[in-house]
Short mmCIF file of all heavy atoms in Angstrom, two decimals:
data_model
loop_
_atom_site.label_atom_id
_atom_site.label_comp_id
_atom_site.label_asym_id
_atom_site.label_seq_id
_atom_site.Cartn_x
_atom_site.Cartn_y
_atom_site.Cartn_z
N ASP A 1 0.81 -1.18 0.02
CA ASP A 1 0.00 -0.05 0.00
C ASP A 1 0.87 1.25 -0.01
O ASP A 1 0.49 2.27 -0.59
CB ASP A 1 -0.89 0.00 1.23
CG ASP A 1 -2.06 -0.98 1.10
OD1 ASP A 1 -2.36 -1.52 -0.05
OD2 ASP A 1 -2.69 -1.31 2.15
N SER A 2 2.00 1.20 0.64
CA SER A 2 2.84 2.37 0.83
C SER A 2 3.45 2.87 -0.54
O SER A 2 3.93 4.03 -0.63
CB SER A 2 3.94 2.06 1.81
OG SER A 2 4.73 0.97 1.36
N VAL A 3 3.49 2.00 -1.52
CA VAL A 3 4.10 2.35 -2.81
C VAL A 3 3.14 2.34 -3.99
O VAL A 3 3.51 2.78 -5.10
CB VAL A 3 5.30 1.51 -3.18
CG1 VAL A 3 6.28 1.43 -2.00
CG2 VAL A 3 4.85 0.05 -3.52
N LYS A 4 1.91 1.94 -3.76
CA LYS A 4 0.88 1.96 -4.86
C LYS A 4 0.78 3.31 -5.50
O LYS A 4 0.69 4.33 -4.85
CB LYS A 4 -0.45 1.50 -4.32
CG LYS A 4 -0.56 0.04 -4.20
CD LYS A 4 -1.98 -0.40 -3.68
CE LYS A 4 -2.09 -1.89 -3.51
NZ LYS A 4 -3.44 -2.27 -2.93
N GLY A 5 0.76 3.33 -6.85
CA GLY A 5 0.61 4.57 -7.59
C GLY A 5 1.90 5.26 -7.75
O GLY A 5 1.93 6.24 -8.58
N ARG A 6 2.97 4.86 -7.09
CA ARG A 6 4.30 5.53 -7.27
C ARG A 6 5.32 4.56 -7.85
O ARG A 6 6.19 5.03 -8.64
CB ARG A 6 4.83 6.05 -5.94
CG ARG A 6 3.86 7.02 -5.24
CD ARG A 6 4.51 7.57 -3.97
NE ARG A 6 4.83 6.59 -2.99
CZ ARG A 6 6.02 6.37 -2.49
NH1 ARG A 6 7.08 7.05 -2.97
NH2 ARG A 6 6.23 5.43 -1.53
N PHE A 7 5.24 3.31 -7.53
CA PHE A 7 6.21 2.30 -8.03
C PHE A 7 5.61 1.43 -9.04
O PHE A 7 4.41 1.07 -8.97
CB PHE A 7 6.75 1.45 -6.85
CG PHE A 7 7.62 2.11 -5.89
CD1 PHE A 7 7.80 3.50 -5.85
CD2 PHE A 7 8.32 1.37 -4.96
CE1 PHE A 7 8.57 4.09 -4.95
CE2 PHE A 7 9.10 1.96 -4.00
CZ PHE A 7 9.26 3.35 -4.01
N THR A 8 6.37 0.96 -10.02
CA THR A 8 5.92 0.03 -11.05
C THR A 8 6.98 -1.07 -11.24
O THR A 8 8.12 -0.78 -11.48
CB THR A 8 5.74 0.72 -12.37
OG1 THR A 8 4.77 1.81 -12.25
CG2 THR A 8 5.20 -0.26 -13.43
N ILE A 9 6.56 -2.33 -11.12
CA ILE A 9 7.45 -3.43 -11.26
C ILE A 9 7.21 -3.97 -12.74
O ILE A 9 6.05 -4.04 -13.17
CB ILE A 9 7.20 -4.57 -10.22
CG1 ILE A 9 8.23 -5.69 -10.35
CG2 ILE A 9 5.78 -5.15 -10.30
CD1 ILE A 9 8.22 -6.72 -9.25
N SER A 10 8.22 -4.37 -13.36
CA SER A 10 8.10 -4.95 -14.69
C SER A 10 9.23 -5.99 -14.92
O SER A 10 10.16 -6.02 -14.03
CB SER A 10 8.18 -3.84 -15.78
OG SER A 10 9.43 -3.19 -15.70
N ARG A 11 9.20 -6.65 -16.04
CA ARG A 11 10.24 -7.66 -16.31
C ARG A 11 10.43 -7.83 -17.81
O ARG A 11 9.50 -7.57 -18.59
CB ARG A 11 9.88 -9.00 -15.73
CG ARG A 11 8.66 -9.66 -16.29
CD ARG A 11 8.23 -10.86 -15.42
NE ARG A 11 9.22 -11.93 -15.47
CZ ARG A 11 9.29 -12.91 -14.56
NH1 ARG A 11 8.48 -12.94 -13.54
NH2 ARG A 11 10.21 -13.89 -14.69
N ASP A 12 11.61 -8.15 -18.19
CA ASP A 12 11.96 -8.45 -19.54
C ASP A 12 12.56 -9.89 -19.53
O ASP A 12 13.73 -10.10 -19.15
CB ASP A 12 13.01 -7.45 -20.10
CG ASP A 12 13.34 -7.66 -21.54
OD1 ASP A 12 13.27 -8.81 -22.08
OD2 ASP A 12 13.72 -6.65 -22.20
N ASN A 13 11.75 -10.84 -19.92
CA ASN A 13 12.20 -12.23 -19.87
C ASN A 13 13.38 -12.54 -20.77
O ASN A 13 14.23 -13.35 -20.45
CB ASN A 13 11.01 -13.19 -20.10
CG ASN A 13 10.02 -13.25 -18.95
OD1 ASN A 13 10.36 -12.85 -17.81
ND2 ASN A 13 8.84 -13.74 -19.21
N ALA A 14 13.39 -11.84 -21.94
CA ALA A 14 14.58 -12.07 -22.79
C ALA A 14 15.86 -11.58 -22.14
O ALA A 14 16.92 -12.19 -22.44
CB ALA A 14 14.28 -11.31 -24.11
N LYS A 15 15.85 -10.60 -21.37
CA LYS A 15 17.01 -10.08 -20.68
C LYS A 15 17.17 -10.67 -19.33
O LYS A 15 18.13 -10.29 -18.62
CB LYS A 15 16.95 -8.54 -20.66
CG LYS A 15 17.02 -7.85 -22.01
CD LYS A 15 17.05 -6.35 -21.88
CE LYS A 15 17.14 -5.66 -23.22
NZ LYS A 15 17.11 -4.17 -23.09
N ARG A 16 16.27 -11.46 -18.88
CA ARG A 16 16.33 -12.07 -17.54
C ARG A 16 16.41 -10.99 -16.43
O ARG A 16 17.20 -11.13 -15.53
CB ARG A 16 17.46 -13.06 -17.43
CG ARG A 16 17.46 -14.15 -18.53
CD ARG A 16 18.71 -15.02 -18.44
NE ARG A 16 18.81 -15.64 -17.17
CZ ARG A 16 18.21 -16.80 -16.88
NH1 ARG A 16 17.55 -17.44 -17.76
NH2 ARG A 16 18.42 -17.35 -15.71
N THR A 17 15.65 -9.96 -16.66
CA THR A 17 15.80 -8.78 -15.75
C THR A 17 14.43 -8.31 -15.23
O THR A 17 13.48 -8.29 -15.99
CB THR A 17 16.49 -7.65 -16.49
OG1 THR A 17 17.83 -8.08 -16.90
CG2 THR A 17 16.65 -6.41 -15.59
N THR A 18 14.43 -8.02 -13.92
CA THR A 18 13.24 -7.42 -13.31
C THR A 18 13.56 -5.97 -13.00
O THR A 18 14.67 -5.67 -12.51
CB THR A 18 12.92 -8.19 -12.02
OG1 THR A 18 12.79 -9.58 -12.30
CG2 THR A 18 11.58 -7.68 -11.45
N TYR A 19 12.59 -5.14 -13.13
CA TYR A 19 12.77 -3.65 -12.94
C TYR A 19 11.84 -3.20 -11.84
O TYR A 19 10.75 -3.73 -11.58
CB TYR A 19 12.59 -2.85 -14.19
CG TYR A 19 13.42 -3.27 -15.34
CD1 TYR A 19 12.91 -4.16 -16.32
CD2 TYR A 19 14.72 -2.77 -15.47
CE1 TYR A 19 13.73 -4.50 -17.39
CE2 TYR A 19 15.50 -3.16 -16.57
CZ TYR A 19 14.99 -4.05 -17.48
OH TYR A 19 15.78 -4.41 -18.56
N LEU A 20 12.31 -2.08 -11.14
CA LEU A 20 11.40 -1.40 -10.24
C LEU A 20 11.52 0.09 -10.52
O LEU A 20 12.58 0.69 -10.23
CB LEU A 20 11.72 -1.66 -8.79
CG LEU A 20 10.70 -1.11 -7.78
CD1 LEU A 20 9.33 -1.77 -7.93
CD2 LEU A 20 11.22 -1.26 -6.36
N GLN A 21 10.52 0.64 -11.21
CA GLN A 21 10.52 2.09 -11.46
C GLN A 21 9.90 2.79 -10.23
O GLN A 21 8.77 2.46 -9.89
CB GLN A 21 9.74 2.36 -12.74
CG GLN A 21 9.56 3.87 -13.05
CD GLN A 21 10.92 4.52 -13.40
OE1 GLN A 21 11.67 3.99 -14.18
NE2 GLN A 21 11.16 5.72 -12.89
N MET A 22 10.69 3.71 -9.62
CA MET A 22 10.25 4.34 -8.44
C MET A 22 10.11 5.84 -8.73
O MET A 22 11.09 6.53 -9.05
CB MET A 22 11.24 4.11 -7.32
CG MET A 22 11.43 2.66 -7.02
SD MET A 22 12.53 2.33 -5.60
CE MET A 22 14.03 3.16 -6.11
N ASN A 23 8.84 6.38 -8.57
CA ASN A 23 8.65 7.79 -8.88
C ASN A 23 8.10 8.43 -7.56
O ASN A 23 7.66 7.75 -6.62
CB ASN A 23 7.60 7.98 -9.92
CG ASN A 23 8.02 7.39 -11.30
OD1 ASN A 23 9.24 7.38 -11.61
ND2 ASN A 23 7.11 6.90 -12.05
N SER A 24 8.13 9.79 -7.51
CA SER A 24 7.64 10.52 -6.37
C SER A 24 8.22 10.00 -5.10
O SER A 24 7.48 9.77 -4.11
CB SER A 24 6.10 10.45 -6.36
OG SER A 24 5.55 10.99 -7.52
N LEU A 25 9.51 9.80 -5.09
CA LEU A 25 10.15 9.21 -3.95
C LEU A 25 10.07 10.07 -2.71
O LEU A 25 10.13 11.29 -2.75
CB LEU A 25 11.62 8.91 -4.26
CG LEU A 25 11.84 7.58 -5.11
CD1 LEU A 25 13.17 7.62 -5.82
CD2 LEU A 25 11.65 6.36 -4.28
N LYS A 26 9.92 9.42 -1.54
CA LYS A 26 9.78 10.03 -0.27
C LYS A 26 10.96 9.65 0.65
O LYS A 26 11.53 8.57 0.44
CB LYS A 26 8.49 9.60 0.39
CG LYS A 26 7.24 9.83 -0.43
CD LYS A 26 6.00 9.34 0.27
CE LYS A 26 4.77 9.54 -0.57
NZ LYS A 26 3.57 9.00 0.17
N PRO A 27 11.32 10.44 1.68
CA PRO A 27 12.40 10.01 2.60
C PRO A 27 12.13 8.62 3.18
O PRO A 27 13.14 7.89 3.41
CB PRO A 27 12.37 11.12 3.62
CG PRO A 27 11.86 12.32 2.86
CD PRO A 27 10.81 11.78 1.92
N GLU A 28 10.86 8.30 3.42
CA GLU A 28 10.64 6.98 4.00
C GLU A 28 10.82 5.86 3.03
O GLU A 28 10.63 4.72 3.49
CB GLU A 28 9.16 6.98 4.54
CG GLU A 28 8.07 7.42 3.55
CD GLU A 28 7.71 8.86 3.74
OE1 GLU A 28 8.61 9.72 3.97
OE2 GLU A 28 6.48 9.18 3.70
N ASP A 29 11.12 6.14 1.82
CA ASP A 29 11.48 5.03 0.83
C ASP A 29 12.96 4.66 0.97
O ASP A 29 13.35 3.71 0.34
CB ASP A 29 11.22 5.47 -0.60
CG ASP A 29 9.73 5.68 -0.85
OD1 ASP A 29 8.90 4.86 -0.43
OD2 ASP A 29 9.39 6.69 -1.53
N THR A 30 13.68 5.40 1.78
CA THR A 30 15.10 5.08 1.97
C THR A 30 15.22 3.68 2.60
O THR A 30 14.68 3.37 3.63
CB THR A 30 15.73 6.11 2.98
OG1 THR A 30 15.74 7.41 2.30
CG2 THR A 30 17.16 5.68 3.28
N ALA A 31 16.02 2.80 1.89
CA ALA A 31 16.20 1.40 2.30
C ALA A 31 17.15 0.77 1.35
O ALA A 31 17.52 1.30 0.33
CB ALA A 31 14.82 0.71 2.26
N VAL A 32 17.55 -0.39 1.79
CA VAL A 32 18.24 -1.33 0.86
C VAL A 32 17.14 -2.13 0.18
O VAL A 32 16.32 -2.74 0.81
CB VAL A 32 19.25 -2.21 1.55
CG1 VAL A 32 19.95 -3.19 0.57
CG2 VAL A 32 20.31 -1.38 2.28
N TYR A 33 17.17 -2.14 -1.19
CA TYR A 33 16.22 -2.86 -1.95
C TYR A 33 16.80 -4.16 -2.46
O TYR A 33 17.88 -4.19 -3.07
CB TYR A 33 15.75 -2.00 -3.18
CG TYR A 33 14.76 -0.86 -2.70
CD1 TYR A 33 15.25 0.17 -1.95
CD2 TYR A 33 13.46 -0.96 -2.92
CE1 TYR A 33 14.43 1.19 -1.53
CE2 TYR A 33 12.59 -0.01 -2.54
CZ TYR A 33 13.03 1.12 -1.83
OH TYR A 33 12.18 2.10 -1.38
N TYR A 34 16.01 -5.28 -2.30
CA TYR A 34 16.52 -6.55 -2.63
C TYR A 34 15.55 -7.22 -3.64
O TYR A 34 14.32 -7.12 -3.51
CB TYR A 34 16.51 -7.44 -1.46
CG TYR A 34 17.42 -7.03 -0.34
CD1 TYR A 34 17.02 -6.26 0.72
CD2 TYR A 34 18.81 -7.51 -0.32
CE1 TYR A 34 17.84 -5.85 1.74
CE2 TYR A 34 19.64 -7.11 0.72
CZ TYR A 34 19.18 -6.26 1.72
OH TYR A 34 20.02 -5.92 2.71
N CYS A 35 16.15 -7.97 -4.55
CA CYS A 35 15.45 -8.77 -5.51
C CYS A 35 15.27 -10.15 -4.85
O CYS A 35 16.21 -10.64 -4.15
CB CYS A 35 16.33 -8.88 -6.80
SG CYS A 35 15.51 -9.73 -8.16
N ASN A 36 14.15 -10.85 -5.09
CA ASN A 36 13.88 -12.07 -4.49
C ASN A 36 13.28 -13.08 -5.47
O ASN A 36 12.36 -12.74 -6.25
CB ASN A 36 12.87 -11.88 -3.34
CG ASN A 36 12.32 -13.13 -2.70
OD1 ASN A 36 11.28 -13.60 -3.12
ND2 ASN A 36 13.09 -13.73 -1.83
N LEU A 37 13.73 -14.33 -5.31
CA LEU A 37 13.20 -15.51 -6.02
C LEU A 37 12.71 -16.53 -4.99
O LEU A 37 13.51 -16.79 -4.04
CB LEU A 37 14.23 -16.14 -6.94
CG LEU A 37 13.90 -17.52 -7.46
CD1 LEU A 37 12.72 -17.53 -8.44
CD2 LEU A 37 15.20 -18.18 -8.07
N LYS A 38 11.56 -16.96 -5.11
CA LYS A 38 11.02 -18.07 -4.24
C LYS A 38 11.00 -19.35 -5.08
O LYS A 38 10.17 -19.49 -6.01
CB LYS A 38 9.69 -17.72 -3.65
CG LYS A 38 9.70 -16.50 -2.79
CD LYS A 38 8.31 -16.29 -2.08
CE LYS A 38 8.36 -14.97 -1.31
NZ LYS A 38 9.39 -15.03 -0.18
N ARG A 39 11.88 -20.26 -4.73
CA ARG A 39 11.96 -21.51 -5.42
C ARG A 39 12.27 -22.59 -4.44
O ARG A 39 13.41 -23.09 -4.26
CB ARG A 39 13.00 -21.50 -6.55
CG ARG A 39 12.94 -22.71 -7.52
CD ARG A 39 13.96 -22.61 -8.61
NE ARG A 39 15.34 -23.01 -8.01
CZ ARG A 39 16.42 -23.30 -8.83
NH1 ARG A 39 16.24 -23.33 -10.14
NH2 ARG A 39 17.54 -23.60 -8.31
N GLY A 40 11.27 -22.92 -3.66
CA GLY A 40 11.48 -23.83 -2.54
C GLY A 40 12.04 -23.06 -1.29
O GLY A 40 11.47 -23.14 -0.23
N VAL A 41 13.12 -22.39 -1.53
CA VAL A 41 13.64 -21.44 -0.50
C VAL A 41 13.72 -20.11 -1.14
O VAL A 41 13.51 -19.87 -2.33
CB VAL A 41 15.06 -21.92 -0.07
CG1 VAL A 41 15.02 -23.31 0.57
CG2 VAL A 41 16.10 -21.96 -1.30
N ASP A 42 14.09 -19.12 -0.27
CA ASP A 42 14.23 -17.75 -0.71
C ASP A 42 15.67 -17.55 -1.26
O ASP A 42 16.63 -17.88 -0.54
CB ASP A 42 13.91 -16.76 0.33
CG ASP A 42 12.40 -16.55 0.55
OD1 ASP A 42 11.73 -16.33 -0.42
OD2 ASP A 42 11.95 -16.58 1.72
N TYR A 43 15.77 -16.92 -2.38
CA TYR A 43 17.03 -16.47 -2.88
C TYR A 43 17.08 -14.94 -2.95
O TYR A 43 16.06 -14.36 -3.34
CB TYR A 43 17.34 -16.98 -4.35
CG TYR A 43 17.51 -18.46 -4.39
CD1 TYR A 43 16.42 -19.37 -4.53
CD2 TYR A 43 18.79 -19.03 -4.26
CE1 TYR A 43 16.59 -20.74 -4.62
CE2 TYR A 43 18.95 -20.48 -4.30
CZ TYR A 43 17.88 -21.30 -4.46
OH TYR A 43 18.07 -22.64 -4.52
N TRP A 44 18.20 -14.38 -2.58
CA TRP A 44 18.25 -12.89 -2.42
C TRP A 44 19.52 -12.42 -3.15
O TRP A 44 20.58 -13.09 -3.22
CB TRP A 44 18.40 -12.51 -0.96
CG TRP A 44 17.30 -12.93 -0.11
CD1 TRP A 44 17.20 -14.06 0.62
CD2 TRP A 44 16.01 -12.23 0.09
NE1 TRP A 44 16.01 -14.09 1.32
CE2 TRP A 44 15.25 -12.95 0.92
CE3 TRP A 44 15.47 -11.02 -0.45
CZ2 TRP A 44 14.00 -12.61 1.35
CZ3 TRP A 44 14.25 -10.65 -0.01
CH2 TRP A 44 13.53 -11.40 0.88
N GLY A 45 19.43 -11.20 -3.72
CA GLY A 45 20.62 -10.52 -4.14
C GLY A 45 21.26 -9.85 -2.95
O GLY A 45 20.81 -9.95 -1.81
N LYS A 46 22.34 -9.11 -3.28
CA LYS A 46 22.99 -8.39 -2.20
C LYS A 46 22.38 -7.05 -1.85
O LYS A 46 22.72 -6.44 -0.87
CB LYS A 46 24.50 -8.14 -2.54
CG LYS A 46 25.33 -9.50 -2.65
CD LYS A 46 26.76 -9.21 -2.94
CE LYS A 46 27.52 -10.49 -2.95
NZ LYS A 46 29.00 -10.29 -3.29
N GLY A 47 21.52 -6.61 -2.74
CA GLY A 47 20.81 -5.37 -2.49
C GLY A 47 21.44 -4.15 -3.08
O GLY A 47 22.59 -4.14 -3.39
#
């Protein structure tokens, strides 16, 4: 709910890439952002 209308997630399967477009950023959006895959267990990037 905190990002609805401001963030957009998308993917390009040919490039094996997921995107997060973040607009109208607020100070409370400050964080480390991680990509996640759920395949039996959770896989994470370094952020």
Side-chain angles (χ1 to χ4, degrees):
D1 287 344
S2 58
V3 307
K4 278 181 183 176
R6 300 188 298 122
F7 289 11
T8 303
I9 188 171
S10 62
R11 65 191 293 161
D12 185 332
N13 285 344
K15 295 183 178 179
R16 305 174 60 85
T17 301
T18 309
Y19 303 97
L20 187 67
Q21 177 67 44
M22 305 186 296
N23 298 329
S24 303
L25 282 161
K26 305 175 181 180
E28 52 263 44
D29 294 317
T30 295
V32 178
Y33 285 72
Y34 297 92
C35 187
N36 171 265
L37 163 71
K38 296 186 184 299
R39 193 181 73 166
V41 298
D42 280 311
Y43 293 89
W44 302 94
K46 293 183 178 180

